[in-house]
Amino acid sequence: MASTLKLILFLLLSFHIFSLVSSHRHHPLDSLTPSEFTLVRTIVNKTYPSSNLNITFQYIGLDEPDKPIILSWLSNPKSKPPPRRAFVIARLDKQSHEIIVDLSTRVIVSDKVYHGHGYPLVTLDEQSAAVELPQKYEPFIESIKKRGLNLSEVIFSTFTIGWFGELKSKRVLKLLCFYIDGTANLYARPVEGITLVVDLDEMKIVEYNDRLIVPVPKAEGTEYRESKQKPPFGPRLNGAALVQPDGPGFKIDGHAVSWANWKFHLGFDVRAGPIISLASIYDLEKQKYRQVLYRGFISEMFVPYMDPTEEWYYKTFFDSGEFGFGQSAVSLKPLADCPANAVFLDAYYASSDGTPVKISNAYCIFENHAGNIMWRHTELEIPGENITEVRPDVSLVVRMVATVGNYDYIIDWEFKPSGSIKLGIGLTGILEVKGVAYTHTDQIKENVYGTLLAENIIGVYHDHFLTYYLDLDVDGDDNSFVKNNLETIKVTNHNSPRKSYWTVVSETAKTESDARIQFGLKPAELVVVNPNKKTKVGNNVGYRLIPGSATRPLLSYNDYPQIRGAFTNNNVWVTPYNKSEKWAGGLFVDQSQGDDTLAVWSLRNRKIENKDIVLWHTIGFHHVPCQEDFPVMPTLSGGFELRPTNFFDSNPVLKTRPPNLVHWPNCTN
């Protein structure tokens, strides 16, 4: 009987998931499919058939049609869709080729060699090949013997080298080694002093240094796997059963997601990771969907470390452009990364030889019942009345996790029935630590550029800056950026006992320079408005940016890493839409020189009033490591909100019906 019941439940669940993810026709913004990756590989390899030429694919992604073409197609979706094209960055004969492949005609329509500064994304295949080289390299083997370590317990990780004023450079990576004897926490046991440099085009070691010997941190207390923990244990947390008697409220049709009053398109890119497009919300009063966001994604993450010594100065990473958030996506673990009501989706990217790679459970989508309140009011002032109205909050979350080396980044897009979009980022994983001779803070008499976390371990100070690309189309694609400055007014007459108040003085940005904002300097509300659309009472419809903490870079503007990361100099930039301006740190980020960044594009000071504009928002963390971050770091969360501001004529969730409730034995009405 029990086995029969399990079979019935399995069939019901399978039918339900099948109904959630239905068949669909290709959308012009759909991510490339495995068969399309294979087709691109075939077309490019046929163009360069010589066996003497070693072609590697550094990037293959959708060459998205220009925005006006997409908008034209959306106005008549039954018409013929725009041609499917792929954008390819390939390495060939030590040169970077930018190639556009037409997938319908199966021809290369553009192929140009890049002659500027910088190199493309480093593939996982290249990193895997590089870390195999030291095991047979005699100078390295001698260094390990000299330290009395077991060679079989030494493993490597790859590090980009940055740029520090060099006129020319080769495409190289640095390798650092770690000791895993007694622990899986490799980053907690660095073998300091040994550095190898690998030429990625030649795939050989071209430089080797063994400068110093310091104690390798102990394995004791570094293990994070549950199976390896020993008593005493912390309290066991009680589980909770999530019951949805009506089933999930969202539907997935290919890459299109619809839920409550929202609909949007979900894409994937090997560099950006999740891409949200065509987000629109249903207006109950107007009885139609209204545009909010044309396209949004994380454009770049800048992670500079604050140790200027020989072994550390170059650690100034651009996690998206150098390593790829999408390439670094990991399979999500049901019931841990995502709740029981989540639906999982796979993602694909191309390996360095062009063959498709599948990431199972790369995304999860779920309705979030977090116990929050959508809105409420208790009214006690009316005689004989006791009114309490409460609406529980439910939201829809799209989640992906990217593990870039030691750090795990939890990327959330959360859609709320009120019209808000909350963008969240969670930082967890393992700290990048430095091996030292110190075992107690009393021994430290010099600047160690970090915090002593355990014996022989320094957690180095560092930053995380994430820059989001947000092409807001607030009720249409022609928008303006408005600073609603909050200014103090002194009361100079005697008509009021007050001496001051504040008011709003609005300022519409005319050009890009008007829209560069550094938080913390002047109080203001930042709003993207549609000056061509007004509410019933005459306000411009808009969406405002509600930022998180005000964090700005502390490096000198003329420091080489900050020149490359100059897009973090402001928390907000606004630019006119330009298809080619997607990556805040430039298209070729590895060893870039800062001459193709958002900060450079914006110097043109183009007009942005009542134009199709893009909002760029940088959020940041200054990370001073502490002992609680070791051996694995509890999640540190941040983010921001895009919130409707006079977009609706009144509260859009006033008439939202609460979900059907399941009453538990200890609950009372």
Side-chain angles (χ1 to χ4, degrees), residues 276-321:
I276 301 293
S277 303
L278 306 177
S280 299
I281 190 166
Y282 190 76
D283 188 322
L284 190 62
E285 298 298 321
K286 298 185 184 304
Q287 294 284 294
K288 67 176 184 178
Y289 280 95
R290 299 170 65 193
Q291 297 169 264
V292 176
L293 179 73
Y294 177 75
R295 206 150 170 83
F297 54 88
I298 296 175
S299 179
E300 190 55 84
M301 174 180 272
F302 178 37
V303 187
Y305 282 80
M306 299 300 136
D307 186 335
T309 60
E310 180 66 25
E311 277 70 34
W312 276 76
Y313 75 90
Y314 59 88
K315 294 186 177 182
T316 54
F317 308 121
F318 292 77
D319 282 347
S320 178

Side-chain angles (χ1 to χ4, degrees), residues 71-256:
L71 295 179
S72 175
W73 178 80
L74 287 172
S75 66
N76 184 17
K78 293 184 179 180
S79 62
K80 184 179 179 181
R84 294 274 288 175
R85 291 183 170 182
F87 177 64
V88 180
I89 299 177
R91 289 288 289 176
L92 178 63
D93 196 24
K94 298 183 181 181
Q95 292 182 314
S96 296
H97 285 246
E98 298 177 58
I99 302 170
I100 296 177
V101 178
D102 190 307
L103 298 173
S104 56
T105 60
R106 304 192 174 197
V107 298
I108 291 177
V109 296
S110 174
D111 182 359
K112 63 179 181 179
V113 176
Y114 175 70
H115 294 292
H117 300 123
Y119 297 102
L121 182 146
V122 181
T123 68
L124 291 180
D125 295 323
E126 289 174 318
Q127 295 176 63
S128 297
V131 300
E132 294 293 325
L133 298 175
Q135 295 292 345
K136 297 180 180 179
Y137 189 67
E138 284 300 325
F140 167 72
I141 294 172
E142 287 301 314
S143 294
I144 294 302
K145 288 181 179 178
K146 181 171 62 176
R147 288 166 169 78
L149 303 177
N150 184 347
L151 182 63
S152 65
E153 300 287 353
V154 178
I155 61 174
F156 296 86
S157 189
T158 57
F159 297 80
T160 50
I161 68 168
W163 170 71
F164 296 89
E166 304 91 346
L167 295 178
K168 292 184 179 181
S169 63
K170 292 184 178 181
R171 187 167 178 261
V172 298
L173 282 177
K174 286 190 176 182
L175 302 184
L176 301 182
C177 53
F178 303 85
Y179 202 50
I180 59 170
D181 185 25
T183 182
N185 194 341
L186 65 119
Y187 293 104
R189 305 197 72 195
V191 181
E192 293 288 346
I194 298 176
T195 305
L196 303 94
V197 179
V198 173
D199 186 316
L200 293 176
D201 289 325
E202 299 285 347
M203 199 51 71
K204 67 180 183 180
I205 296 170
V206 295
E207 186 179 331
Y208 182 76
N209 288 297
D210 184 357
R211 284 188 357 105
L212 54 91
I213 297 178
V214 297
V216 176
K218 295 180 293 187
E220 181 183 357
T222 64
E223 188 59 75
Y224 55 84
R225 290 174 291 181
E226 183 180 10
S227 61
K228 300 294 183 180
Q229 302 306 311
K230 298 177 181 179
F233 296 107
R236 180 173 292 280
L237 303 177
N238 290 343
L242 178 63
V243 179
Q244 292 186 283
D246 301 320
F250 62 92
K251 291 185 178 180
I252 305 171
D253 183 7
H255 292 263

Side-chain angles (χ1 to χ4, degrees), residues 262-508:
W262 280 102
K263 64 178 182 179
F264 58 89
H265 181 279
L266 174 61
F268 178 84
D269 180 79
V270 67
R271 180 167 172 172
I275 299 177
I276 301 293
S277 303
L278 306 177
S280 299
I281 190 166
Y282 190 76
D283 188 322
L284 190 62
E285 298 298 321
K286 298 185 184 304
Q287 294 284 294
K288 67 176 184 178
Y289 280 95
R290 299 170 65 193
Q291 297 169 264
V292 176
L293 179 73
Y294 177 75
R295 206 150 170 83
F297 54 88
I298 296 175
S299 179
E300 190 55 84
M301 174 180 272
F302 178 37
V303 187
Y305 282 80
M306 299 300 136
D307 186 335
T309 60
E310 180 66 25
E311 277 70 34
W312 276 76
Y313 75 90
Y314 59 88
K315 294 186 177 182
T316 54
F317 308 121
F318 292 77
D319 282 347
S320 178
E322 292 175 338
F323 298 104
F325 266 1
Q327 180 177 239
S328 304
V330 295
S331 296
L332 299 174
K333 188 174 181 180
L335 303 181
D337 284 315
C338 310
N341 63 327
V343 171
F344 293 83
L345 300 174
D346 302 332
Y348 297 86
Y349 68 92
S351 64
S352 61
D353 68 356
T355 57
V357 177
K358 177 181 177 180
I359 306 172
S360 300
N361 293 357
Y363 290 112
C364 69
I365 303 177
F366 59 92
E367 288 172 292
N368 189 27
H369 298 259
N372 296 323
I373 298 171
M374 180 186 292
W375 64 264
R376 80 173 319 283
H377 180 62
T378 295
E379 182 56 69
L380 301 174
E381 299 298 324
I382 301 174
E385 294 277 359
N386 188 337
I387 302 171
T388 296
E389 289 286 331
V390 187
R391 300 294 183 271
D393 198 18
V394 183
S395 60
L396 186 75
V397 176
V398 177
R399 174 170 295 167
M400 192 196 87
V401 173
T403 299
V404 187
N406 54 304
Y407 263 104
D408 294 60
Y409 298 107
I410 305 163
I411 303 166
D412 280 355
W413 284 78
E414 183 177 7
F415 296 85
K416 301 175 76 68
S418 61
S420 285
I421 305 174
K422 299 183 77 171
L423 295 89
I425 187 76
L427 281 60
T428 180
I430 312 295
L431 290 174
E432 186 95 17
V433 302
K434 178 180 181 178
V436 294
Y438 306 115
T439 58
H440 194 278
T441 56
D442 291 346
Q443 302 167 345
I444 301 175
K445 308 300 180 184
E446 60 183 348
N447 192 343
V448 293
Y449 314 107
T451 305
L452 188 68
L453 303 176
E455 292 184 1
N456 308 121
I457 296 176
I458 293 287
V460 178
Y461 306 142
H462 59 282
D463 295 324
H464 300 263
F465 291 104
L466 294 97
T467 298
Y468 285 79
Y469 173 103
L470 301 164
D471 184 356
L472 286 160
D473 280 3
V474 179
D475 216 16
D477 49 326
D478 286 340
N479 290 173
S480 294
F481 180 70
V482 176
K483 293 179 283 185
N484 287 327
N485 300 305
L486 310 184
E487 298 188 0
T488 301
I489 304 296
K490 299 292 181 65
V491 178
T492 56
N493 55 40
H494 301 288
N495 294 333
S496 172
R498 293 279 296 273
K499 295 183 181 296
S500 64
Y501 62 96
W502 63 260
T503 192
V504 175
V505 178
S506 295
E507 178 186 352
T508 300

